[in-house]
Every structure is written in structure tokens, then in C-alpha cells.
Amino acid sequence: MRICLITPDPDHPLLAAAAGLLRAAGHRVEPLDPGTAAGPPAPPLAPPLAPPLADVYLLKARTPQALALARELERQGAPVVNTAAATTLCQDRTAMAELAVRAGLPFAATRTHDSLGAWAASGDPVPDGPVVVKSRHSRRHDLVARADDAARLRELAAQWPQEPVVVQDFAPNNGWDHKLWAVGGRVFAALRRSELAPEGRGPTLPLALGELPAGWEQLVLRVGEVFALDVYGVDVIDTGGGVPLVVDVNAFPGIRGQAGAPEALARLALARATTRHG
């Protein structure tokens, strides 16, 4: 099988380990750098691609160029994991919340403002206690902050005046995020001190699936079904007594340090490649 990695970083630990397993089994693995938004445009694609299409493409990039490349590959009949549509959806936190609520997932109530500066200047008070303010469009180094009062909100607005944002009521919790991932239906888990905790983001700690509250593993798999994702992350907080609240969904996150994740990714790639030929 020929597997292509759509990424500017083929040496990422998860990708490199999975690629090593695939190559050891006799498969061909090739990186395909789509370029970056700030770089030169990717060359236009015209069917048929040369060389011929790979058997499967793993999309671990979120730039406009990467998504355009993935859409073109899909148009030509190539399987892409995750699809361009599913990856794009997870970049828009408003669309993400709307879909999650429609599907009945325990997702944080989310409100959208076109401009943080305009909202802060509107005179609306911070509703009923602390809120979490996030960039509407998920990306590296985006805005994720807690605002306990109007003064903090104005401070954030001064730093991000034109930023479209989503606002979620802060849910009391123990200060730790459950970082849950799925690869081809296999779930992985860890704990990480939240960046919203007073101490700031802390280390990632291992967490066995058996230590998750009842139903959480099934919740992660349900998220994958709803969002049509094969490789993804779900950020969940425990609001008390094992009651989950989903606060974010990410397409193809890093999943570092999770034993078995590279093997699961390699199996998924081969399964999707086989499906194409089946």
C-alpha cells in the first residue's frame, strides 16, 4: 500500500512511529507538505495526479492549502483521514457547538460574538459569574482565557479587539482537563492541568481507561460518530460526580506518549486503503 502524510512535520512522534510500523510491514509511506498559509501557494492539481493517487492520505494539517489539497484528493476518489469537511468543522467552534447540541452531546453552552472588542464595549455584563472566552476559529496560539469580571474582559478585548470569539460559562471543576483521544475506534486518555487553572497549564499525566467515569469512553466514540472523525481529541471536564462536559473537539491532534496510538493509526491507514480497493 502507498500511504501519504499531508503534513509539514512528518517527524511528529505519532506520524513517525506509525510510518515506521507501516514501512516495516512493506508499505510505502511518503510525506506531502501542502505548504503553509504564509508560504507560496501549493501547485494546482489537475486530474490525474502524477504520480498516481496514493491508497490513503492522512490529513495532519489545517491550513487553507492543506484543506484545499484534501478536498481535491477526495474529489478524485482518494480516501482522506480525517476528511476535509470534518477537519474544517472542528476549526469553527460555533459550528462545533451547534452540531454537538443538536446531537444531544453534553457540550458547553456556547455564544458567539463577531468581535471581542465590540462585545466588551457593548456594556453587557459578564453573565452570572466567570466565563471562558475562546477564538471562534481554532488554530495554534489562539485565544483561550477566563474572565471573571468586566475588567478582565476589557483587558482581553484590548489585546484581541477584532477577534471573533465564542463564550462559554465557566463550569466549576477540579482544575484538570481529561484529554481523551480516539484512533480508529480505540480510545486513549490522560489528565492535564487546565490552562485556566490558577497555576496555569501543567503536565500531562497518564490515565487508564478503567479510571474514567462510567460512560465516558462511549461518549468519546459517540463524538467521533457525530463529527465523522476517525482520529480526534475530545476535551472533557468533570463537573462533579463523573458528570462530563465536553468543551472542545480537535481533528487529528498530536496524541503524544500514548502507548498503542501509532499501532492504531497504522491499522486505520491500512483499513482505509483496503476499503478503497475493496
Side-chain angles (χ1 to χ4, degrees):
M1 295 291 182
R2 178 168 164 248
I3 298 100
C4 264
L5 312 178
I6 302 178
T7 178
D9 183 18
D11 294 327
H12 182 284
L14 174 65
L15 295 179
L21 293 168
L22 290 164
R23 291 187 178 111
H27 302 286
R28 182 177 170 187
V29 182
E30 301 171 353
L32 179 57
D33 187 348
T36 65
L45 295 170
L49 286 177
L53 288 174
D55 296 294
V56 67
Y57 293 82
L58 304 184
L59 176 59
K60 184 152 180 38
R62 305 175 188 177
T63 64
Q65 287 175 312
L67 293 169
L69 174 60
R71 291 188 192 97
E72 175 61 20
L73 291 167
E74 291 170 354
R75 188 188 68 79
Q76 296 187 42
V80 178
V81 178
N82 299 294
T83 66
T87 302
T88 299
L89 175 61
C90 289
Q91 290 183 285
D92 185 338
R93 289 189 170 110
T94 297
M96 176 195 303
E98 290 172 348
L99 176 57
V101 170
R102 286 198 305 270
L105 296 173
F107 199 90
T110 302
R111 303 174 294 282
T112 302
H113 298 278
D114 292 337
S115 160
L116 177 53
W119 178 51
S122 68
D124 291 343
V126 175
D128 300 326
V131 295
V132 179
V133 182
K134 302 178 182 180
S135 296
R136 172 174 177 172
H137 302 290
S138 175
R139 61 193 187 278
R140 292 179 69 86
H141 310 301
D142 60 0
L143 170 63
V144 179
R146 173 174 167 169
D148 287 9
D149 51 37
R152 174 56 174 158
L153 190 60
R154 288 192 296 269
E155 179 181 318
L156 292 173
Q159 299 169 8
W160 302 76
Q162 303 303 318
E163 186 75 0
V165 295
V166 297
V167 180
Q168 300 169 341
D169 292 338
F170 178 81
N173 62 88
N174 63 4
W176 291 82
D177 293 337
H178 287 78
K179 307 294 291 186
L180 307 176
W181 304 280
V183 182
R186 181 174 174 183
V187 177
F188 303 87
L191 279 174
R192 181 187 296 164
R193 193 175 64 211
S194 171
E195 60 192 310
L196 302 177
E199 305 89 344
R201 175 174 287 179
T204 300
L205 306 178
L207 183 66
L209 290 182
E211 297 179 64
L212 290 174
W216 282 34
E217 185 175 354
Q218 291 72 27
L219 172 62
V220 174
L221 296 176
R222 174 61 179 154
V223 169
E225 294 174 357
V226 169
F227 285 86
L229 293 165
D230 292 300
V231 185
Y232 58 98
V234 186
D235 292 349
V236 183
I237 58 175
D238 186 340
T239 59
V243 176
L245 184 69
V246 177
V247 295
D248 218 346
V249 179
N250 302 286
F252 221 129
I255 320 179
R256 297 174 184 268
Q258 292 294 311
E263 290 81 358
L265 183 57
R267 286 194 298 272
L268 173 63
L270 292 178
R272 284 307 175 89
T274 302
T275 299
R276 180 189 176 205
H277 292 288

